[in-house]
Amino acid sequence: MNTVEIKIDSKKGKISKELHGHFIEFLGSCIYDGIWVGEESKIPNYNGLRKDVVDALKRLQPPVIRWPGGCYADTYHWRNGIGPGNERPVTYNENFGTYELDSNQFGTHEFMRLCELTGARPWLNINMMTSGTEEMREWMEYCNREDETSLAKERKQNGAEKPFGVELWGIGNEVWAGGGCMTPESYANEYRKYASAFPNFISLENGGKPKTEMKRIASGPDGNKPKERVEWTKQFFQELGKFRRPPLDGYDLHFYNWNLENLEQKETEFDERDWDLVITGCLELDEVIQEQAALIREGIEALPEEEGFFKTPKPDCDLIIGEWGNWHGAAFSNRPALYQQCTMRDAITTALTLDILHKNCESVKMACVAQTVNVLNSLFLTEGETCILTPNYDVFNMYKVHREGLGLETVGETSDKTFIFASEKEEGIFVNLINADMEKDQEIVIAFSDEVQYVSGQILESEDPHDCNTKEEPDKIREKTGKAPSRRENDFAVRLPKASIQVMHFVRK
């Protein structure tokens, strides 16, 4: 039986709550039917926003929600989504096989209302591919201007008296592919223009400082291409270092756990080999984060010192994982587009990914699961009037206890399918234990470097790893109270059922 010691006086960085962020866009039924049903719908709603989804999302206390994309942002014009609903234009969405009319009933105000109801911080991604800097500036003016400009007045006429105060702005999306097929050089040149065009919203009443400090988030590389992602980041920062440089606050890398070996295989049908391939695939993100964080540091350090009095300081740039999650091949042919059922396999990889983010909390500051509703690695599936919480929802709920905690060092060997993470904050010490073995139970001994006592625990498991929550059985997999570990002097023996996730709570004596 393996023993792992948790060194409770050896801290490893603060876990940003924004590592538990969410991503939504108009793909498949993520927005329409998933989040937006309209005020006239028989499905209970908050002015058109689906009540069951909003209420359940609010319980998770989402720290940030990203919208409108994703690839959808590349063709989205924000003016189509404001004003009276019956006057909004009907457009067409061709992104990722959606192929549906877009009524534009879910727009800026509806998104801001979703963020307000759930307590989330909004992250808006601009249209860099089929728009320009003028449209970007006007959207920012509409959202954030307090002074009585025409755009601020228009926002008020549309129902928002106060500015939205949007701080997070993505400049382009996946510009290396559908976002423009750019090179690092061409994107860096475009980024310079867009980042420089930001209005600053300086307020004389606020001592000449802006009331809303807007953050510029650059489009990072394709995290799934090992050679390309390294060269992209190196070349982007090299280009940024030529002559005067614009501000840079974030660098948005996307990483999907591709499961594309058999595109005909349903996401609920897999054997042990298939299971292991997906589990192993998600673990690559650990390497990607460490690699990219190092490249960002090196890129910033290599930036030359500028001449003269008005020098631009070197950027304090955060690595962000703007999209992550399992992408099973069946999603390409599923309808609605990219619809994906979530089994215990998806719950395990969701937990493993969150723990990778936790362990690398000094290197990555924000992340968004893709996507929140009805698409890919979702937390919600909707079917008519039914809202189904997937096992991924329970993982996010169980893991809330780590937000703003300090990561703890763990020492010792586990089996290659057993994973552990621990953090501490005022409420106590929280320990995650994941058994990623599809067939076998595991056992582990947890030792602590000081006296602690067990308080409580939660577990997520199912007898059959293929299980999922459906309209007929919406609670087939739900978190429940876990069994207390066996106390052995100053350590604890824990049984880990196959394909399970546990969170245990301890306190210092």
Side-chain angles (χ1 to χ4, degrees), residues 10-145:
S10 181
K11 306 297 191 292
K12 299 180 65 177
K14 190 173 184 179
I15 300 165
S16 167
K17 64 182 180 180
E18 291 182 338
L19 292 175
H20 291 199
H22 299 267
F23 170 47
I24 61 172
E25 68 176 316
F26 179 17
L27 291 183
S29 57
C30 178
I31 300 297
Y32 300 106
D33 295 330
I35 292 172
W36 180 263
V37 291
E39 295 183 52
E40 304 303 318
S41 175
K42 295 180 180 179
I43 298 172
N45 63 85
Y46 297 113
N47 302 114
L49 294 169
R50 189 173 177 130
K51 184 177 184 298
D52 47 14
V53 170
V54 170
D55 289 348
L57 187 57
K58 183 178 180 179
R59 291 196 294 272
L60 289 183
Q61 300 172 306
V64 62
I65 301 177
R66 177 175 176 247
W67 174 84
C71 58
Y72 180 70
D74 297 323
T75 56
Y76 180 68
H77 299 282
W78 69 272
R79 276 202 161 276
N80 290 343
I82 62 171
N86 60 0
E87 296 178 8
R88 297 183 188 183
V90 175
T91 55
Y92 198 77
N93 183 356
E94 297 178 326
N95 288 294
F96 267 106
T98 296
Y99 301 129
E100 291 180 10
L101 292 173
D102 183 357
S103 65
N104 285 291
Q105 297 303 294
F106 186 89
T108 301
H109 288 258
E110 291 75 25
F111 173 64
M112 294 301 169
R113 178 64 171 153
L114 173 67
C115 291
E116 178 187 9
L117 288 171
T118 59
R121 189 181 183 196
W123 170 2
L124 291 177
N125 219 98
I126 68 158
N127 178 351
M128 189 183 198
M129 189 173 73
T130 61
S131 180
T133 55
E134 182 178 8
E135 185 171 332
M136 176 193 76
R137 282 180 60 90
E138 288 179 349
W139 198 12
M140 292 172 171
E141 179 100 357
Y142 184 88
C143 288
N144 289 354
R145 182 68 71 184

Side-chain angles (χ1 to χ4, degrees), residues 19 52 108 168 206 268 336 381 400 403 456 479 509:
L19 292 175
D52 47 14
T108 301
L168 304 172
N206 196 39
T268 55
L381 298 174
K400 280 192 304 183
R403 297 180 186 179
S456 62
E479 64 177 283
K509 281 190 175 180

Side-chain angles (χ1 to χ4, degrees), residues 201-216:
F201 300 112
I202 283 177
S203 169
L204 296 178
E205 295 178 0
N206 196 39
K209 297 179 180 179
K211 287 191 175 180
T212 299
E213 290 276 3
M214 298 199 301
K215 304 293 185 182
R216 296 159 173 85

Side-chain angles (χ1 to χ4, degrees), residues 363-411:
S363 298
V364 59
K365 300 302 179 183
M366 187 161 66
C368 296
V369 64
Q371 295 187 10
T372 308
V373 187
N374 285 337
V375 170
L376 302 179
N377 203 66
S378 61
L379 283 69
F380 303 88
L381 298 174
T382 62
E383 190 173 338
E385 297 184 8
T386 303
C387 173
I388 303 152
L389 308 183
T390 75
N392 294 343
Y393 180 93
D394 294 71
V395 174
F396 270 80
N397 194 50
M398 292 166 69
Y399 274 29
K400 280 192 304 183
V401 294
H402 294 289
R403 297 180 186 179
E404 306 303 311
L406 297 173
L408 299 177
E409 182 182 0
T410 58
V411 179

Side-chain angles (χ1 to χ4, degrees), residues 327-354:
W327 192 316
H328 302 300
F332 286 111
S333 56
N334 286 347
R335 300 301 299 178
L338 300 188
Y339 180 93
Q340 197 168 272
Q341 182 54 271
C342 297
T343 66
M344 275 304 300
R345 180 172 64 169
D346 301 287
I348 293 288
T349 54
T350 294
L352 288 170
T353 301
L354 287 174

